[in-house]
């Protein structure tokens, strides 16, 4: 699938042009997908296949998401294409087959560009779904020592 084919398909699905641009900019190339990548973002072909075939046995489009990658523990990384267009969410892979995706999703970034930069370079960025609520609680109570301890275990 070429970038222009992906763009046409995504626009037909109602995914806004900015989100498509970010996906194409940040996603893996087919060559990258054959090697180990630290950022875990799918190439456009895989994004298309997962969306069209419900490749994980769930329907991300029913929840207004498109899966664009995965965390190191297997949690899907999703772009919101409905409610908060362009924002990035982690989905809890352990219960995604038994609960509505929106109930087990946590918003981690405003857009894919900022999420991509954080996944690659920011040690404080949540590694997966389960780190998100813990980090949010620690930051909200101002416990810098707790956050520093958690960083050692990531």
């Amino acid at each position: 699938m070429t970038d222009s084919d992906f763009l046409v398909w995504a626009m037909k699905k109602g995914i806004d042009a900015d989100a498509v641009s970010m996906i194409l900019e940040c996603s893996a190339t087919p060559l990258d997908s054959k090697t180990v990548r630290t950022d875990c973002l799918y190439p456009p072909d895989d994004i298309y296949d997962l969306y069209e075939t419900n490749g994980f046995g769930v329907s991300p489009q029913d929840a207004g998401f498109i899966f664009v990658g995965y965390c190191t523990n297997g949690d899907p990384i999703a772009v919101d294409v409905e409610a908060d267009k362009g924002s990035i969410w982690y989905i809890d892979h352990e219960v995604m087959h038994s609960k509505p995706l929106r109930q087990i999703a946590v918003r981690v970034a405003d857009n894919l560009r900022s999420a991509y930069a954080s996944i690659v370079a920011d040690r404080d960025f949540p590694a997966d779904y389960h780190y998100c609520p813990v980090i949010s609680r620690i930051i909200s109570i101002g416990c810098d020592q707790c956050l520093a301890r958690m960083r050692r275990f990531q």
Side-chain angles (χ1 to χ4, degrees):
M1 171 176 278
T2 66
D3 286 357
S4 52
D5 291 339
F6 183 79
L7 175 64
V8 169
W9 167 80
M11 298 298 283
K12 284 182 183 175
K13 296 297 178 184
I15 303 167
D16 67 82
D18 194 44
V20 175
S21 172
M22 284 186 269
I23 291 168
L24 290 172
E25 178 183 322
C26 299
S27 65
T29 66
L31 180 61
D32 291 332
S33 68
K34 294 181 183 348
T35 64
V36 175
R37 288 175 52 101
T38 57
D39 51 56
C40 306
L41 297 177
Y42 300 129
D45 288 329
D46 291 350
I47 294 168
Y48 167 84
D49 288 341
L50 283 171
Y51 190 88
E52 291 295 330
T53 65
N54 298 332
F56 289 136
V58 297
S59 178
Q61 62 268 34
D62 288 350
F65 289 129
I66 182 169
F67 291 157
V68 296
Y70 59 94
C71 300
T72 55
N73 73 340
D75 290 340
I77 300 171
V79 175
D80 189 322
V81 295
E82 194 172 275
D84 187 7
K85 289 187 178 196
S87 59
I88 305 305
W89 298 68
Y90 288 166
I91 312 291
D92 184 354
H93 78 279
E94 294 172 4
V95 293
M96 71 184 199
H97 296 98
S98 61
K99 294 185 178 179
L101 294 182
R102 286 276 173 188
Q103 288 181 8
I104 54 159
V106 62
R107 187 180 190 279
V108 295
D110 292 335
N111 60 61
L112 192 55
R113 283 185 191 99
S114 64
Y116 179 81
S118 296
I119 289 168
V120 173
D122 183 356
R123 287 187 43 100
D124 293 336
F125 194 75
D128 59 49
Y129 173 88
H130 292 286
Y131 276 103
C132 294
V134 174
I135 288 174
S136 295
R137 283 194 303 274
I138 289 170
I139 291 170
S140 70
I141 62 171
C143 182
D144 293 333
Q145 290 177 332
C146 296
L147 186 57
R149 282 189 208 121
M150 279 194 62
R151 285 186 196 128
R152 288 188 298 211
F153 298 106
Q154 289 184 331

